[in-house]
Amino acid sequence: MVTYNDISPRVRAYADRRLLTRAATNNILGQFGQVRTLPSKSGDIIIFRRYNKLDPATTPLQEGVTPTGKTVTKTDIAVPLSQYGDWIGYSDVIEDTHTDPLLQEFTDLLGEQAGETYDVLRAGVLCAGTNVLYANGTARNAVNTAVGKTLLRKAERALLRQHAKPITSIIQAGPNISTKPIPPAFIAVCHADLKMDLEQLSDWIPVQEYSSQGAVINGEIGASGLIRFVIDNNLKPWEDAGGAKGSMISTSGTYADVYPVLIFGKDAYGLVALGGKGSVNTYVSNPKPSESDPLAQRGTIGWKGYTATAILNDLWMIRLEVAATA
């Protein structure tokens, strides 16, 4: 496969920027994790290391007696990277005769696909966390109640009890890794089907009524208490997994669909890319004579990248499982 060198630097740079910009539109869960970049040629596993908290030193010191020191312990989380990618092929006839700007159109499609691919992968990892609260009952198969204010306050309490720190900055969308500050808050990510129930909360503040719009998060819809809510439809419900549906959304019409709501504090999870630019690279090959294509009839455009997501501290992230009012 011929890559960048097959097209001019000007076109190559345009395609690269556009792909990464489009990918960022789906970069919801990529905004809040602890980001690490694994340099090229450094293997395909990165280790996140956490030195564990020391117990308080509550025993008074005795004159002239050296106390027993503490032994520092650590937790290592090894995260293997995996490679993902896709491509589109096109013919010289389409390139020569089609009225649409094909490079732009194909780049848009692939950019959206790359962003959504990474977001779906992240959602799968984060929704498998073990710290969970149910809207009612003690298991998923009982859930048939919408999200409520009491449940959200319980989630806040659980995070604060574990010394989870509010998030104060997010990863900015774009081809380079950078951050922007936001007011301290826990972040909740959920499906759009839950928006109607969230808007019924007595302390709900819609994003349009924020005193400052400068620090609004991509996809944000509003806030309740210490929690700011962001929509991500890649957090799909478990269909028919709950209790009798009542007035809740149900795929089959019998049992309620159960929706995850991920609420997390700072450094609850980590994101790893291999190399720069968020680990997405573009590959463009214009039709060009070769042994396999002597008449230069075929061209391709594609993307490829390495990524991984890992829960770094399960106690700093909690998953609510709720139903959605139909």
Side-chain angles (χ1 to χ4, degrees):
M1 172 72 71
V2 180
T3 59
Y4 282 154
N5 292 332
D6 197 33
I7 59 176
S8 70
R10 181 183 64 82
V11 176
R12 181 179 73 207
Y14 169 78
D16 204 22
R17 287 196 305 270
R18 190 172 184 91
L19 175 55
L20 291 166
T21 300
R22 297 287 293 201
T25 62
N26 295 315
N27 184 38
I28 299 300
L29 292 170
Q31 296 177 96
F32 313 115
Q34 182 184 126
V35 175
R36 290 290 183 270
T37 299
L38 185 64
S40 298
K41 303 186 186 302
S42 299
D44 61 355
I45 295 177
I46 190 169
I47 295 178
F48 287 87
R49 174 166 293 172
R50 177 175 67 248
Y51 287 97
N52 300 321
K53 182 176 178 288
L54 296 175
D55 293 331
T58 57
T59 302
L61 296 176
Q62 297 182 29
E63 183 179 354
V65 178
T66 302
T68 302
K70 292 291 192 298
T71 299
V72 175
T73 61
K74 60 182 173 61
T75 300
D76 284 347
I77 301 173
V79 183
L81 276 75
S82 296
Q83 188 181 52
Y84 304 90
D86 208 349
W87 62 281
I88 295 173
Y90 60 96
S91 73
D92 61 329
V93 175
I94 295 177
E95 184 183 46
D96 292 341
T97 63
H98 204 284
T99 57
D100 290 336
L102 282 181
L103 184 61
Q104 175 180 320
E105 294 296 328
F106 290 171
T107 301
D108 286 352
L109 289 172
L110 289 165
E112 291 173 353
Q113 182 197 39
E116 186 165 12
T117 296
Y118 282 13
D119 202 59
V120 167
L121 293 168
R122 291 164 182 160
V125 172
L126 300 180
C127 283
T130 58
N131 196 14
V132 58
L133 286 174
Y134 302 99
N136 63 278
T138 58
R140 185 176 299 165
N141 60 11
V143 172
N144 58 2
T145 303
V147 62
K149 184 177 176 180
T150 299
L151 183 66
L152 295 177
R153 297 297 83 80
K154 287 181 178 180
E156 287 179 356
R157 182 174 65 189
L159 293 173
L160 291 169
R161 181 181 291 167
Q162 295 300 327
H163 308 287
K165 296 179 176 62
I167 291 175
T168 57
S169 64
I170 61 173
I171 308 301
Q172 291 231 76
N176 298 308
I177 295 176
S178 61
T179 61
K180 77 171 182 178
I182 63 169
F186 296 125
I187 304 297
V189 182
C190 63
H191 194 280
D193 286 354
L194 302 182
K195 181 174 181 289
M196 183 172 72
D197 291 322
L198 290 169
E199 290 173 341
Q200 302 307 308
L201 298 172
S202 60
D203 65 341
W204 180 254
I205 302 175
V207 68
Q208 297 89 340
E209 296 180 10
Y210 286 5
S211 58
S212 172
Q213 296 293 311
V216 171
I217 302 167
N218 180 28
E220 187 170 5
I221 58 170
S224 169
L226 299 177
I227 304 173
R228 297 172 64 170
F229 286 82
V230 177
I231 292 297
D232 185 353
N233 287 340
N234 288 322
L235 267 67
K236 298 183 183 301
W238 294 284
E239 296 180 353
D240 303 313
K245 77 175 187 68
S247 60
M248 301 294 138
I249 292 175
S250 169
T251 299
S252 69
T254 303
Y255 298 105
D257 294 347
V258 178
Y259 291 79
V261 181
L262 296 178
I263 307 176
F264 35 78
K266 183 179 179 181
D267 296 334
Y269 65 94
L271 307 171
V272 187
L274 179 67
K277 293 192 176 181
S279 81
V280 177
N281 295 309
T282 55
Y283 297 86
V284 180
S285 174
N286 285 335
K288 179 180 178 181
S290 66
E291 287 188 15
S292 61
D293 186 14
L295 298 182
Q297 294 173 291
R298 295 181 295 277
T300 63
I301 179 171
W303 67 273
K304 183 175 69 175
Y306 290 83
T307 190
T309 303
I311 296 174
L312 302 181
N313 192 326
D314 226 332
L315 296 178
W316 292 351
M317 179 176 72
I318 192 165
R319 183 180 73 254
L320 309 183
E321 296 196 3
V322 305
T325 301

